[in-house]
């Protein structure tokens, strides 16, 4: 009995997964194809379809030799069958206006009929690792961080790109007005900060690097623990008076591909999580993040 129930539940799950990829008015696949793909008997597949109809997950219309079409889908119930009762997104700590805008756009344009929750943490590497491990369904990071880890072999995929200057407007160098830059702060938990720091200071062999938290760059400049560091220009705009009072000046980075990739927001999922990818295809509106 348990074995039969297991086969039936597997078929219900498999058919539901396929329904998620289709639109209202589309035909279902044939019973024979479902049977072959799910390694289930024809009778088990028929029972799975009947179960979905009886649970009011889907309404079907039989059209004889023309197949069976999907008339209506209760997507909340369908996602429950697929064991998705809510979605978890991980993104940067929303200490800047730009990150708050990213969160608002994602929440407003994701028309999914289940709750969407956000978790905030520093460090693109940590966020991407937790997506790969299945702790979160998807995450928002810079394209630079995502591409670096994907290239290194992480089982991840970028499914949405928002374009340059949607993650941050740009990055700049903050440095003390009264000193040469000899000690540079670098956050070891931020892929972007590591890359941008190494890339933009690589020509200076006399630089010494010290580990700091990205969010504490200004404090470390004021205390003279460091002479300079890369920072997010959007945060700079909110602290101009504070910087000026402490004689901290701003220097633009040279615009190139690496620096530009760090400004772009992308949405990343686990590469083999087809259900989440199909949820995005069906429910995420193609809204643009303000630049």
């Amino acid at each position: 009995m348990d074995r039969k129930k297991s086969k039936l539940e597997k078929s219900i799950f498999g058919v539901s997964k396929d329904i998620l990829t289709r639109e209202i008015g589309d035909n279902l696949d044939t019973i024979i194809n479902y049977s072959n793909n799910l390694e289930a008997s024809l009778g088990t597949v028929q029972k799975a379809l009947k179960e979905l109809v009886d649970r009011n997950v889907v309404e079907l219309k039989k059209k004889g030799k023309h197949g069976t079409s999907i008339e209506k889908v209760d997507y909340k119930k369908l996602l429950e069958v697929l064991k998705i009762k809510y979605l978890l997104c991980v993104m940067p700590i929303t200490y800047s206006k730009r990150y708050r805008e990213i969160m608002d756009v994602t929440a407003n344009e994701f028309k999914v009929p289940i709750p969407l929750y956000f978790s905030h943490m520093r460090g693109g590497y940590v966020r991407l690792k937790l997506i790969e491990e299945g702790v979160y369904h998807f995450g928002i990071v810079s394209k630079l961080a995502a591409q670096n880890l994907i290239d290194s072999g992480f089982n991840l995929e970028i499914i949405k790109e928002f374009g340059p200057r949607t993650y941050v407007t740009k990055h700049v160098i903050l440095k003390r007005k009264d000193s040469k830059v000899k000690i540079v702060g670098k956050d070891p938990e931020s892929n972007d900060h590591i890359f941008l720091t190494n890339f933009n200071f690589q020509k200076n062999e006399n630089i010494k690097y010290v580990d700091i938290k990205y969010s504490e760059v200004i404090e470390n400049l004021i205390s003279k623990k460091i002479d300079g560091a890369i920072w997010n220009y959007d945060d700079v705009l909110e602290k101009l008076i504070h910087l000026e009072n402490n004689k901290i000046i701003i220097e633009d980075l040279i615009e190139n591909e690496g620096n530009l990739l760090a400004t772009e927001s992308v949405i990343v999922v686990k590469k083999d999580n087809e259900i989440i990818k199909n949820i995005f295809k069906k429910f995420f509106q193609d809204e643009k993040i303000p630049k």
Side-chain angles (χ1 to χ4, degrees):
M1 177 66 80
D2 289 341
R3 188 176 177 184
K4 288 183 178 179
K5 184 177 180 180
S6 176
K7 284 188 175 181
L8 177 59
E9 289 300 321
K10 180 182 176 183
S11 295
I12 291 171
F13 187 91
V15 172
S16 297
K17 189 175 176 182
D18 180 71
I19 289 173
L20 183 63
T21 69
R22 300 177 187 269
E23 302 297 331
I24 303 300
D26 287 354
N27 273 10
L28 289 176
D29 205 348
T30 66
I31 299 295
I32 293 175
N33 283 345
Y34 282 135
S35 176
N36 291 334
N37 294 335
L38 300 174
E39 298 180 342
S41 68
L42 297 176
T44 299
V45 172
Q46 289 171 331
K47 286 180 182 178
L49 286 168
K50 183 177 185 305
E51 185 74 18
L52 289 172
V53 171
D54 290 346
R55 293 187 200 176
N56 295 315
V57 175
V58 63
E59 291 182 12
L60 304 175
K61 181 179 180 181
K62 294 182 179 180
K63 301 185 295 184
K65 65 180 182 179
H66 297 294
T68 300
S69 64
I70 302 168
E71 295 296 295
K72 184 179 178 182
V73 178
D74 186 324
Y75 284 107
K76 183 177 181 180
K77 290 181 179 179
L78 183 70
L79 293 176
E80 286 178 357
V81 172
L82 294 171
K83 306 186 186 309
I84 306 290
K85 295 184 178 180
Y86 51 83
L87 290 175
L88 288 176
C89 170
V90 62
M91 65 174 292
I93 297 170
T94 53
Y95 52 78
S96 73
K97 180 182 177 183
R98 176 55 54 90
Y99 289 153
R100 292 191 291 273
E101 287 175 343
I102 293 171
M103 185 175 71
D104 289 344
V105 166
T106 304
N108 292 336
E109 300 307 320
F110 212 162
K111 308 299 184 183
V112 66
I114 53 176
L116 170 61
Y117 300 111
F118 290 89
S119 178
H120 306 276
M121 65 177 63
R122 54 189 286 264
Y125 176 87
V126 176
R127 296 198 298 275
L128 290 166
K129 185 65 176 173
L130 291 173
I131 296 167
E132 186 185 47
E133 292 175 356
V135 176
Y136 295 99
H137 295 111
F138 68 100
I140 300 168
V141 297
S142 75
K143 188 174 182 179
L144 176 65
Q147 200 60 63
N148 280 345
L149 290 192
I150 290 171
D151 291 345
S152 71
F154 273 55
N155 184 33
L156 299 168
E157 181 178 339
I158 296 172
I159 61 168
K160 174 67 181 173
E161 300 179 6
F162 292 98
R165 309 192 192 284
T166 54
Y167 194 65
V168 300
T169 303
K170 62 180 179 178
H171 289 90
V172 295
I173 297 173
L174 293 187
K175 59 184 183 180
R176 294 206 317 277
K177 189 176 182 179
D178 59 356
S179 67
K180 291 184 178 180
V181 178
K182 296 181 179 180
I183 303 174
V184 172
K186 179 165 59 174
D187 188 339
E189 294 186 22
S190 170
N191 292 59
D192 286 357
H193 207 237
I194 292 170
F195 174 87
L196 291 171
T197 301
N198 291 342
F199 185 76
N200 289 284
F201 287 99
Q202 63 183 339
K203 293 181 180 179
N204 193 333
E205 297 178 355
N206 299 318
I207 291 289
K208 176 185 176 182
Y209 298 103
V210 296
D211 291 346
I212 62 169
K213 287 185 179 180
Y214 180 77
S215 58
E216 297 176 358
V217 165
I218 293 178
E219 289 87 339
N220 282 291
L221 282 167
I222 293 172
S223 67
K224 299 188 177 181
K225 180 179 179 180
I226 61 174
D227 303 317
I230 304 289
W231 223 45
N232 173 0
Y233 183 67
D234 300 313
D235 295 339
V236 170
L237 291 176
E238 298 177 10
K239 297 177 173 65
L240 285 175
I241 295 176
H242 184 52
L243 295 177
E244 186 176 337
N245 289 341
N246 287 280
K247 297 182 179 180
I248 296 171
I249 59 175
I250 304 162
E251 182 179 300
D252 282 329
L253 299 179
I254 297 171
E255 188 162 299
N256 52 48
E257 184 179 1
N259 289 336
L260 200 58
L261 282 176
T263 73
E264 180 171 359
S265 290
V266 296
I267 292 177
V268 177
V269 300
K270 192 172 181 180
K271 189 173 184 179
D272 54 10
N273 195 333
E274 296 299 326
I275 292 174
I276 296 300
K277 287 195 278 188
N278 284 320
I279 287 174
F280 265 89
K281 287 178 184 177
K282 188 168 291 291
F283 297 110
F284 194 81
Q285 306 296 315
D286 196 16
E287 183 69 17
K288 297 196 179 294
I289 294 172
K291 296 184 181 181

mmCIF file of all heavy atoms in Angstrom, residues 253-279:
data_model
loop_
_atom_site.group_PDB
_atom_site.id
_atom_site.type_symbol
_atom_site.label_atom_id
_atom_site.label_comp_id
_atom_site.label_asym_id
_atom_site.label_seq_id
_atom_site.Cartn_x
_atom_site.Cartn_y
_atom_site.Cartn_z
ATOM 1 N N LEU A 253 36.557 55.747 -9.721
ATOM 2 C CA LEU A 253 37.273 54.639 -10.344
ATOM 3 C C LEU A 253 37.224 54.796 -11.857
ATOM 4 O O LEU A 253 36.306 55.404 -12.401
ATOM 5 C CB LEU A 253 36.627 53.295 -9.968
ATOM 6 C CG LEU A 253 36.579 52.925 -8.492
ATOM 7 C CD1 LEU A 253 35.894 51.572 -8.320
ATOM 8 C CD2 LEU A 253 37.971 52.886 -7.891
ATOM 9 N N ILE A 254 38.195 54.235 -12.527
ATOM 10 C CA ILE A 254 38.162 54.201 -13.990
ATOM 11 C C ILE A 254 37.027 53.272 -14.417
ATOM 12 O O ILE A 254 36.881 52.171 -13.890
ATOM 13 C CB ILE A 254 39.504 53.688 -14.551
ATOM 14 C CG1 ILE A 254 40.637 54.652 -14.176
ATOM 15 C CG2 ILE A 254 39.430 53.526 -16.068
ATOM 16 C CD1 ILE A 254 42.015 54.131 -14.493
ATOM 17 N N GLU A 255 36.209 53.721 -15.357
ATOM 18 C CA GLU A 255 35.085 52.887 -15.791
ATOM 19 C C GLU A 255 35.582 51.812 -16.760
ATOM 20 O O GLU A 255 36.112 52.104 -17.823
ATOM 21 C CB GLU A 255 34.004 53.734 -16.457
ATOM 22 C CG GLU A 255 32.728 52.951 -16.741
ATOM 23 C CD GLU A 255 31.529 53.860 -16.976
ATOM 24 O OE1 GLU A 255 31.169 54.612 -16.058
ATOM 25 O OE2 GLU A 255 30.976 53.798 -18.081
ATOM 26 N N ASN A 256 35.422 50.569 -16.373
ATOM 27 C CA ASN A 256 35.790 49.436 -17.218
ATOM 28 C C ASN A 256 34.827 48.294 -16.943
ATOM 29 O O ASN A 256 33.933 48.409 -16.098
ATOM 30 C CB ASN A 256 37.241 49.008 -16.958
ATOM 31 C CG ASN A 256 37.513 48.763 -15.489
ATOM 32 O OD1 ASN A 256 36.749 48.079 -14.828
ATOM 33 N ND2 ASN A 256 38.584 49.351 -14.970
ATOM 34 N N GLU A 257 35.001 47.176 -17.639
ATOM 35 C CA GLU A 257 34.034 46.078 -17.554
ATOM 36 C C GLU A 257 33.916 45.515 -16.145
ATOM 37 O O GLU A 257 32.817 45.266 -15.651
ATOM 38 C CB GLU A 257 34.426 44.950 -18.515
ATOM 39 C CG GLU A 257 33.403 43.814 -18.545
ATOM 40 C CD GLU A 257 33.789 42.705 -19.511
ATOM 41 O OE1 GLU A 257 34.862 42.808 -20.143
ATOM 42 O OE2 GLU A 257 33.028 41.736 -19.620
ATOM 43 N N GLY A 258 35.044 45.314 -15.469
ATOM 44 C CA GLY A 258 35.009 44.747 -14.125
ATOM 45 C C GLY A 258 34.274 45.641 -13.148
ATOM 46 O O GLY A 258 33.415 45.192 -12.393
ATOM 47 N N ASN A 259 34.619 46.941 -13.166
ATOM 48 C CA ASN A 259 33.953 47.882 -12.258
ATOM 49 C C ASN A 259 32.469 48.005 -12.576
ATOM 50 O O ASN A 259 31.637 48.191 -11.685
ATOM 51 C CB ASN A 259 34.624 49.251 -12.348
ATOM 52 C CG ASN A 259 36.013 49.254 -11.722
ATOM 53 O OD1 ASN A 259 36.316 48.427 -10.865
ATOM 54 N ND2 ASN A 259 36.868 50.167 -12.165
ATOM 55 N N LEU A 260 32.114 47.911 -13.870
ATOM 56 C CA LEU A 260 30.713 48.041 -14.271
ATOM 57 C C LEU A 260 29.885 46.817 -13.875
ATOM 58 O O LEU A 260 28.717 46.946 -13.473
ATOM 59 C CB LEU A 260 30.623 48.265 -15.783
ATOM 60 C CG LEU A 260 29.322 48.882 -16.315
ATOM 61 C CD1 LEU A 260 29.064 50.242 -15.665
ATOM 62 C CD2 LEU A 260 29.367 49.021 -17.824
ATOM 63 N N LEU A 261 30.478 45.617 -13.968
ATOM 64 C CA LEU A 261 29.761 44.400 -13.574
ATOM 65 C C LEU A 261 29.355 44.453 -12.102
ATOM 66 O O LEU A 261 28.321 43.895 -11.718
ATOM 67 C CB LEU A 261 30.635 43.166 -13.814
ATOM 68 C CG LEU A 261 30.754 42.657 -15.247
ATOM 69 C CD1 LEU A 261 31.723 41.491 -15.311
ATOM 70 C CD2 LEU A 261 29.392 42.240 -15.802
ATOM 71 N N ALA A 262 30.142 45.115 -11.294
ATOM 72 C CA ALA A 262 29.835 45.211 -9.864
ATOM 73 C C ALA A 262 28.655 46.131 -9.583
ATOM 74 O O ALA A 262 28.157 46.176 -8.458
ATOM 75 C CB ALA A 262 31.065 45.705 -9.105
ATOM 76 N N THR A 263 28.180 46.862 -10.592
ATOM 77 C CA THR A 263 27.047 47.782 -10.400
ATOM 78 C C THR A 263 25.715 47.162 -10.797
ATOM 79 O O THR A 263 24.670 47.784 -10.601
ATOM 80 C CB THR A 263 27.232 49.076 -11.221
ATOM 81 O OG1 THR A 263 27.021 48.808 -12.628
ATOM 82 C CG2 THR A 263 28.599 49.677 -11.017
ATOM 83 N N GLU A 264 25.735 45.957 -11.382
ATOM 84 C CA GLU A 264 24.511 45.378 -11.932
ATOM 85 C C GLU A 264 23.852 44.365 -10.986
ATOM 86 O O GLU A 264 24.504 43.452 -10.476
ATOM 87 C CB GLU A 264 24.783 44.700 -13.270
ATOM 88 C CG GLU A 264 23.533 44.079 -13.893
ATOM 89 C CD GLU A 264 23.729 43.599 -15.316
ATOM 90 O OE1 GLU A 264 24.850 43.761 -15.855
ATOM 91 O OE2 GLU A 264 22.768 43.074 -15.887
ATOM 92 N N SER A 265 22.541 44.521 -10.774
ATOM 93 C CA SER A 265 21.763 43.560 -9.985
ATOM 94 C C SER A 265 21.358 42.366 -10.837
ATOM 95 O O SER A 265 20.932 42.534 -11.983
ATOM 96 C CB SER A 265 20.471 44.202 -9.464
ATOM 97 O OG SER A 265 20.723 45.149 -8.487
ATOM 98 N N VAL A 266 21.487 41.179 -10.256
ATOM 99 C CA VAL A 266 20.985 39.976 -10.909
ATOM 100 C C VAL A 266 20.266 39.113 -9.884
ATOM 101 O O VAL A 266 20.519 39.219 -8.678
ATOM 102 C CB VAL A 266 22.115 39.155 -11.573
ATOM 103 C CG1 VAL A 266 22.770 39.942 -12.697
ATOM 104 C CG2 VAL A 266 23.145 38.692 -10.555
ATOM 105 N N ILE A 267 19.366 38.276 -10.380
ATOM 106 C CA ILE A 267 18.697 37.285 -9.542
ATOM 107 C C ILE A 267 19.289 35.924 -9.867
ATOM 108 O O ILE A 267 19.419 35.551 -11.033
ATOM 109 C CB ILE A 267 17.179 37.293 -9.762
ATOM 110 C CG1 ILE A 267 16.576 38.596 -9.225
ATOM 111 C CG2 ILE A 267 16.518 36.094 -9.076
ATOM 112 C CD1 ILE A 267 15.093 38.753 -9.461
ATOM 113 N N VAL A 268 19.649 35.205 -8.813
ATOM 114 C CA VAL A 268 20.341 33.924 -8.956
ATOM 115 C C VAL A 268 19.542 32.826 -8.263
ATOM 116 O O VAL A 268 18.986 33.033 -7.176
ATOM 117 C CB VAL A 268 21.761 34.009 -8.350
ATOM 118 C CG1 VAL A 268 22.472 32.667 -8.429
ATOM 119 C CG2 VAL A 268 22.574 35.081 -9.053
ATOM 120 N N VAL A 269 19.477 31.652 -8.901
ATOM 121 C CA VAL A 269 18.843 30.474 -8.320
ATOM 122 C C VAL A 269 19.790 29.287 -8.444
ATOM 123 O O VAL A 269 20.785 29.339 -9.176
ATOM 124 C CB VAL A 269 17.500 30.130 -9.010
ATOM 125 C CG1 VAL A 269 16.512 31.272 -8.893
ATOM 126 C CG2 VAL A 269 17.730 29.752 -10.477
ATOM 127 N N LYS A 270 19.464 28.227 -7.741
ATOM 128 C CA LYS A 270 20.200 26.974 -7.925
ATOM 129 C C LYS A 270 19.914 26.464 -9.330
ATOM 130 O O LYS A 270 18.766 26.418 -9.765
ATOM 131 C CB LYS A 270 19.767 25.951 -6.881
ATOM 132 C CG LYS A 270 20.656 24.727 -6.797
ATOM 133 C CD LYS A 270 20.267 23.860 -5.620
ATOM 134 C CE LYS A 270 21.165 22.641 -5.527
ATOM 135 N NZ LYS A 270 20.807 21.781 -4.375
ATOM 136 N N LYS A 271 20.939 26.070 -10.042
ATOM 137 C CA LYS A 271 20.827 25.775 -11.471
ATOM 138 C C LYS A 271 19.828 24.673 -11.772
ATOM 139 O O LYS A 271 19.088 24.733 -12.762
ATOM 140 C CB LYS A 271 22.202 25.395 -12.033
ATOM 141 C CG LYS A 271 22.231 25.279 -13.547
ATOM 142 C CD LYS A 271 23.643 25.083 -14.056
ATOM 143 C CE LYS A 271 23.674 25.054 -15.579
ATOM 144 N NZ LYS A 271 25.066 24.889 -16.079
ATOM 145 N N ASP A 272 19.764 23.638 -10.940
ATOM 146 C CA ASP A 272 18.879 22.510 -11.238
ATOM 147 C C ASP A 272 17.508 22.620 -10.569
ATOM 148 O O ASP A 272 16.738 21.661 -10.566
ATOM 149 C CB ASP A 272 19.546 21.181 -10.854
ATOM 150 C CG ASP A 272 20.025 21.153 -9.410
ATOM 151 O OD1 ASP A 272 19.681 22.088 -8.653
ATOM 152 O OD2 ASP A 272 20.747 20.205 -9.040
ATOM 153 N N ASN A 273 17.183 23.788 -10.024
ATOM 154 C CA ASN A 273 15.871 23.969 -9.398
ATOM 155 C C ASN A 273 14.874 24.476 -10.441
ATOM 156 O O ASN A 273 14.580 25.667 -10.538
ATOM 157 C CB ASN A 273 15.970 24.947 -8.224
ATOM 158 C CG ASN A 273 14.745 24.882 -7.321
ATOM 159 O OD1 ASN A 273 13.659 24.524 -7.774
ATOM 160 N ND2 ASN A 273 14.924 25.225 -6.063
ATOM 161 N N GLU A 274 14.351 23.542 -11.222
ATOM 162 C CA GLU A 274 13.451 23.900 -12.321
ATOM 163 C C GLU A 274 12.145 24.507 -11.828
ATOM 164 O O GLU A 274 11.551 25.351 -12.502
ATOM 165 C CB GLU A 274 13.161 22.663 -13.186
ATOM 166 C CG GLU A 274 14.383 22.092 -13.892
ATOM 167 C CD GLU A 274 15.022 23.093 -14.843
ATOM 168 O OE1 GLU A 274 14.281 23.892 -15.447
ATOM 169 O OE2 GLU A 274 16.265 23.082 -14.964
ATOM 170 N N ILE A 275 11.683 24.091 -10.671
ATOM 171 C CA ILE A 275 10.418 24.619 -10.143
ATOM 172 C C ILE A 275 10.543 26.124 -9.888
ATOM 173 O O ILE A 275 9.681 26.911 -10.303
ATOM 174 C CB ILE A 275 9.995 23.879 -8.860
ATOM 175 C CG1 ILE A 275 9.612 22.433 -9.192
ATOM 176 C CG2 ILE A 275 8.820 24.597 -8.180
ATOM 177 C CD1 ILE A 275 9.312 21.584 -7.983
ATOM 178 N N ILE A 276 11.600 26.538 -9.213
ATOM 179 C CA ILE A 276 11.790 27.962 -8.919
ATOM 180 C C ILE A 276 11.973 28.750 -10.205
ATOM 181 O O ILE A 276 11.424 29.852 -10.369
ATOM 182 C CB ILE A 276 12.987 28.171 -7.973
ATOM 183 C CG1 ILE A 276 12.720 27.512 -6.613
ATOM 184 C CG2 ILE A 276 13.266 29.665 -7.783
ATOM 185 C CD1 ILE A 276 11.493 28.041 -5.890
ATOM 186 N N LYS A 277 12.710 28.195 -11.156
ATOM 187 C CA LYS A 277 12.896 28.899 -12.431
ATOM 188 C C LYS A 277 11.564 29.086 -13.151
ATOM 189 O O LYS A 277 11.302 30.145 -13.733
ATOM 190 C CB LYS A 277 13.895 28.136 -13.307
ATOM 191 C CG LYS A 277 15.332 28.267 -12.822
ATOM 192 C CD LYS A 277 16.337 27.832 -13.862
ATOM 193 C CE LYS A 277 16.534 26.354 -13.890
ATOM 194 N NZ LYS A 277 17.667 25.950 -14.773
ATOM 195 N N ASN A 278 10.702 28.078 -13.101
ATOM 196 C CA ASN A 278 9.397 28.196 -13.747
ATOM 197 C C ASN A 278 8.453 29.128 -12.993
ATOM 198 O O ASN A 278 7.595 29.780 -13.603
ATOM 199 C CB ASN A 278 8.769 26.805 -13.904
ATOM 200 C CG ASN A 278 9.404 26.024 -15.031
ATOM 201 O OD1 ASN A 278 9.715 26.563 -16.091
ATOM 202 N ND2 ASN A 278 9.619 24.730 -14.826
ATOM 203 N N ILE A 279 8.612 29.209 -11.678
ATOM 204 C CA ILE A 279 7.834 30.181 -10.902
ATOM 205 C C ILE A 279 8.191 31.597 -11.359
ATOM 206 O O ILE A 279 7.313 32.447 -11.537
ATOM 207 C CB ILE A 279 8.092 30.007 -9.388
ATOM 208 C CG1 ILE A 279 7.399 28.735 -8.882
ATOM 209 C CG2 ILE A 279 7.589 31.226 -8.606
ATOM 210 C CD1 ILE A 279 7.710 28.396 -7.435
#
